[in-house]
Amino acid sequence: MTTRLIYTAKQRVRTIKRDVHAVWLAARDSRTPWLAKVLALAVAAYAVSPIDLIPDFIPVLGYLDDLVIVPLGILLVVRLIPPELMAEHREAAAKATERPVSRFAAGLIIALWIACAALLARAFL
């Protein structure tokens, strides 16, 4: 039961993540209705804004508004975008997440940061 619930939650998170990328792509498309573009901008602004309806320092409730309002806003934007256009952007977003990840490049960047930190530590200590 718990494993199934976790799997379902992970699937929904992946779907929302893909839809966020698809909405971003659709908002930049000239075929998207202006109302959907404005609402996408408003949802994005709310998501990154430090000002919330319920302040984040309030335990549990502070994050609850982000967990409810942002996905509902994305759902509304998705409904305002024509289905064929949304399908096109969902496909593009899914392809973007399937790109290979270079572990070598990640290791190289981490090594560069460690080297910079060591040089700074040596210079100031």
Side-chain angles (χ1 to χ4, degrees):
M1 175 70 176
T2 306
T3 307
R4 184 174 172 215
L5 183 64
I6 291 171
Y7 177 76
T8 303
K10 284 182 180 181
Q11 288 298 101
R12 288 189 182 184
V13 167
R14 283 188 196 111
T15 301
I16 290 173
K17 186 177 175 182
R18 183 206 58 206
D19 280 354
V20 166
H21 189 187
V23 164
W24 179 76
L25 292 172
R28 299 175 65 210
D29 193 331
S30 62
R31 299 173 291 171
T32 302
W34 69 269
L35 182 59
K37 289 181 178 185
V38 169
L39 190 57
L41 179 65
V43 170
Y46 182 80
V48 298
S49 172
I51 300 170
D52 289 337
L53 291 177
I54 303 171
D56 288 342
F57 64 82
I58 298 174
V60 181
L61 293 177
Y63 293 107
L64 189 61
D65 68 333
D66 292 330
L67 291 172
V68 173
I69 292 173
V70 173
L72 286 177
I74 291 169
L75 182 65
L76 182 59
V77 171
V78 167
R79 291 189 185 268
L80 290 173
I81 297 171
E84 60 279 352
L85 185 61
M86 194 61 199
E88 177 184 326
H89 291 300
R90 279 183 175 146
E91 185 178 329
K95 285 181 182 176
T97 59
E98 292 173 0
R99 291 184 185 150
V101 176
S102 173
R103 296 191 191 279
F104 175 76
L108 188 64
I109 291 171
I110 291 170
L112 182 64
W113 277 103
I114 290 171
C116 288
L119 287 172
L120 282 173
R122 187 171 193 165
F124 290 109
L125 296 177

